[in-house]
Amino acid sequence: RRELLAARAERQARFDAGELPDFLPETAEVRSGDWKVGPIPADLQNRRVEITGPVDRKMIVNALNSGATHFMADFEDANSPTWSNCIEGQLNLRDRWDGKIDFTDETSGKRYAIGETPAVLIIRPRGWHLLEEHVTVDGEPMSGSLFDFGLYFFHNAKALLAKGSGPYFYIPKLESHLEARLWNDVFVYAQEKLGIPKGSIKATVLIETLPAGFEMDEILYELRDHAAGLNAGRWDYIFSFIKKLAKRPDYVLPDRGQVVMGKAFLGAYALLLIKTCHRRGAFAMGGMAAQIPIKGDPAANEAAFAKVRADKEREVNDGHDGTWVAHPDLVPVAKEVFDRLMPQPNQVDRQRDDVEVGQADLLRLHEGSKTEEGFRLNIRVGVQYIEAWLRGRGAVPIYNLMEDAATAEISRAQIWQWLQYGAVLENGVTVTPEFFDKALGEEMERVRGELGAEAYDAGRFPEAIDLFRRLSLAPEFEDFLTVPAYQLLA
């Protein structure tokens, strides 16, 4: 794992020196070969609407009952990895398979219990770069990925198989097929140790880094006995695009709100993902709808839901086999679209041979403007998310969107990029460290007004502001904000 992280750094140094990501010449045979992934279980054949969220007890029960086909229980970007969150999450999932997840909320007196047809569970462990400081191996903190995977697999795999399901996982943040190979080695080892059949584990890989966008075939190939599909992790993919091309002034993005699916590099990568998956007999999962209901404003709520509908129609028409939502109220919205336009369980038979995507397509910039409001919004969202994360909350409603670590990463990455290259905003303002500090102070006063002085002062805003400022003004781009933030948490 450490060798692979070192290889990431070496590759980044090559990008910083001017090399651009491209398809690997040494794996051309894998891309041109006629191979397919292993058989996919019955309860992964129809994945039209997946809901995602953290692993607290109430969320798990609500998500399982939401009407979604699947629930991605998240130890990664929607989870603040406090020791209690990680351990209680594992206990909650074990209770789900022991039939003991029901509970009564002490505050409200409301009873929570799983219904007749709960969503199928898929678990997302942390990425290879994160550690679990509370458990050491040979005196060193262990991998957060292996901690999350290992505990869930050890305690639940046999119960899952006995109930006709299986140990299903979402694998985040991969940057190469060699990182996928390590996961495959872990899966083979774990299955042997527990004495369960090879191929029982099924993994869907999030394509949410720019290098992985060029290695989709190879990633599926490495995991072919265990692969169920790929997912278009759009928010992290935008963050990775900025990060990997950080030293290139010719790759500065417009406002994040203008970097939309269906256009430029995002459109190309989603179509390539569908084509790649279907050619290999795997499922192509669409991206997250982060909208949440806007209470008390029916017109704004309908406008938000109309956006979701349009996005899901694009996904199903492109050929995706399913999609993600962050809130139970969006399950029926997404489900209606997929039921109407995809009456069959999936679209794997849609091969999309018409799609041709090359290096230039995967690097094509979105057109758009850089605005002061976009800059200031990034400050407000980034700081508020980090502050909530430091208080142990990983999925946070901010301005009618459910934000997780990925959107905070885009916020600070975009600010870093605009500062680095002195971007000129639409109103003629040049982005400088002085302008950033002025805007940071003003936007925090605005947030204080929005939240109320008492709530603001009771939070962890000083630490969040300090970290956000350091990351934004750093001469070198910090790979992940969750790494220095974890030191404040642990």
Side-chain angles (χ1 to χ4, degrees), residues 49-53 68 287-290 308 312 323-328 330-331 334:
V49 183
E50 298 186 343
I51 190 168
T52 75
M288 168 69 81
V308 175
K312 300 314 173 192
T323 193
W324 277 16
V325 298
H327 193 281
L330 285 175
V331 171

Side-chain angles (χ1 to χ4, degrees), residues 47 50 170 204 230-232 273 283-287 320-324:
R47 299 173 64 176
E50 298 186 343
Y170 259 108
T204 305
L230 303 175
N231 168 279
L273 185 144
F283 298 128
M285 303 305 297
H320 282 290
D321 301 292
T323 193
W324 277 16

Side-chain angles (χ1 to χ4, degrees), residues 241-257:
F241 190 95
I242 297 172
K243 174 165 64 173
K244 293 301 161 190
L245 304 174
K247 296 289 188 182
R248 302 281 303 238
D250 49 335
Y251 281 99
V252 177
L253 293 180
D255 277 14
R256 91 169 188 185

Side-chain angles (χ1 to χ4, degrees), residues 334-455:
K335 189 172 182 298
E336 185 279 325
V337 172
F338 272 80
D339 287 351
R340 171 163 45 90
L341 298 173
M342 189 185 81
Q344 73 277 30
N346 58 64
Q347 307 190 74
V348 175
D349 57 345
R350 275 190 72 193
Q351 292 292 290
R352 294 309 314 259
D353 293 331
D354 56 308
V355 170
E356 291 296 333
V357 173
Q359 181 198 29
D361 302 301
L362 290 176
L363 297 175
R364 184 167 291 115
L365 274 181
H366 286 71
E367 294 175 2
S369 54
K370 303 171 186 68
T371 68
E372 183 167 342
E373 177 45 37
F375 185 82
R376 288 174 176 272
L377 180 65
N378 279 334
I379 291 173
R380 294 199 305 278
V381 170
V383 174
Q384 285 185 85
Y385 180 81
I386 293 171
E387 191 276 332
W389 195 90
L390 292 174
R391 285 188 288 108
R393 294 184 62 210
V396 188
I398 305 173
Y399 305 128
N400 303 315
L401 294 174
M402 188 62 78
E403 305 284 14
D404 71 3
T407 43
E409 290 284 33
I410 297 173
S411 296
R412 64 99 181 183
Q414 186 145 64
I415 285 174
W416 183 91
Q417 191 182 46
W418 289 7
L419 276 164
Q420 196 73 11
Y421 299 109
V424 179
L425 303 179
E426 205 173 36
N427 59 1
V429 171
T430 300
V431 176
T432 62
E434 294 73 25
F435 172 69
F436 167 71
D437 275 332
K438 177 175 177 287
L440 178 62
E442 291 167 355
E443 293 311 307
M444 289 306 98
E445 278 305 307
R446 175 173 168 176
V447 168
R448 194 168 192 265
E450 290 169 350
L451 298 179
E454 192 179 336

Side-chain angles (χ1 to χ4, degrees), residues 35-58:
W35 51 270
K36 293 239 187 312
V37 302
I40 295 173
D43 60 352
L44 290 178
Q45 290 287 328
N46 179 355
R47 299 173 64 176
R48 61 192 55 229
V49 183
E50 298 186 343
I51 190 168
T52 75
V55 286
D56 61 272
R57 210 168 181 87
K58 182 177 169 184

Side-chain angles (χ1 to χ4, degrees), residues 97-171:
W97 296 115
D98 285 350
K100 296 189 277 194
I101 189 79
D102 302 0
F103 75 104
T104 301
D105 189 301
E106 290 177 12
T107 314
S108 66
K110 184 179 175 184
R111 179 157 173 73
Y112 291 84
I114 293 182
E116 291 292 304
T117 53
V120 176
L121 256 178
I122 308 177
I123 309 305
R124 179 161 72 167
R126 280 169 280 183
W128 280 136
H129 61 290
L130 291 169
L131 296 173
E132 178 44 75
E133 296 275 2
H134 301 88
V135 181
T136 57
V137 179
D138 299 332
E140 294 285 326
M142 81 169 288
S143 156
S145 304
L146 298 179
F147 179 84
D148 298 339
F149 165 81
L151 271 183
Y152 180 75
F153 183 80
F154 178 80
H155 286 291
N156 302 292
K158 288 184 176 175
L160 280 156
L161 292 165
K163 288 180 165 69
S165 189
Y168 304 145
F169 296 91
Y170 259 108
I171 302 302

